[in-house]
Amino acid sequence: MSSLPKILVFDSGLGGLTVLREIVGARPDAHYVYVADDAFFPYGHHGEEEIIARVVPLVGELIARHSPVLVVIACNTASTLVMSHLRSAYSVPFVGTVPAIKPACASSKTKRVSVLGTKGTVRREYTKRLINDFAQGCEVTLVGSAELASLAESALNGNDVSDADIAAELAPCFVGNGAVRTDTVVLACTHYPLLLDRLTRLAPWPVDWIDPAPAIARRVSDLLGSPGRQSDRAGAEMIFTSQRPHALSRALMPFFGGRVLA
């Protein structure tokens, strides 16, 4: 694996697996280090200064330990707060994850778009600037979910998560009626695509769900340059900052043919 470029993918928990899946699909010729900061999960329950003070030195320690060629911050909450700090502190290239408001508004037919994120992400000035810059005449509804990321983690752990709990978090996204109702929902937390099948089923009417992961994968591929040999295949290791044994290391195995180091 030493000849393969190493990519560090960082998230507050397991939502970044949705980003990792797309990156691996685009660039199987790499070695991946996935870091879940589960000791501090969920980030939405912490203040902005707490998150900055936590993430910036932690990512620095991970860079020093693993020497990645680039770092993906696969978390909207962290990306909207710490990217400028990280780029100032460290020379490695960073790819962030921010609400995909521009493509959502560009594609909406009814000009009714909802942004479903954590409470922290939707109240961030960064998110509001994206709306100001890219709404393109759309009416944008910001929906801050307190529990959906935790529900996604719980479901991935194999726990029962009720449709009613998911539907309650989803309901505020759907506004209007007839020809002027919501037709596009931005998934502004990387945890939410883990529940996409259920979100689609529980939605009161069909909408386009905008996931930024494919665009992140394209950006990573561009930064890596030309692909390696077809015989070079991805491997991965998974790190939990709590250092607790974690059965979810197996969640990575389908991506890497079972070659996962927990």
Side-chain angles (χ1 to χ4, degrees), residues 36-51:
D37 188 15
D38 63 328
F40 210 61
F41 179 84
Y43 279 8
H45 290 182
H46 299 282
E48 295 186 2
E49 294 304 320
E50 286 182 282
I51 296 171

Side-chain angles (χ1 to χ4, degrees), residues 22-40:
E22 294 292 333
I23 299 173
V24 172
R27 295 305 297 258
D29 57 321
H31 181 78
Y32 293 90
V33 179
Y34 185 92
V35 180
D37 188 15
D38 63 328
F40 210 61

Side-chain angles (χ1 to χ4, degrees), residues 169-239:
E169 300 295 309
L170 184 62
C173 293
F174 291 82
V175 298
N177 55 69
V180 291
R181 66 187 185 182
T182 303
D183 73 345
T184 306
V185 177
V186 176
L187 297 174
C189 173
T190 55
H191 281 78
Y192 299 167
L194 294 170
L195 295 171
L196 184 56
D197 288 347
R198 296 181 71 178
L199 298 180
T200 301
R201 176 168 57 82
L202 294 170
W205 59 77
V207 295
D208 290 332
W209 304 93
I210 306 298
D211 179 1
I216 295 169
R218 289 191 294 271
R219 178 59 178 157
V220 168
S221 186
D222 288 345
L223 289 172
L224 285 180
S226 299
R229 300 170 301 178
Q230 289 187 348
S231 60
D232 291 336
R233 301 299 298 173
E237 52 196 290
M238 194 169 194
I239 298 168

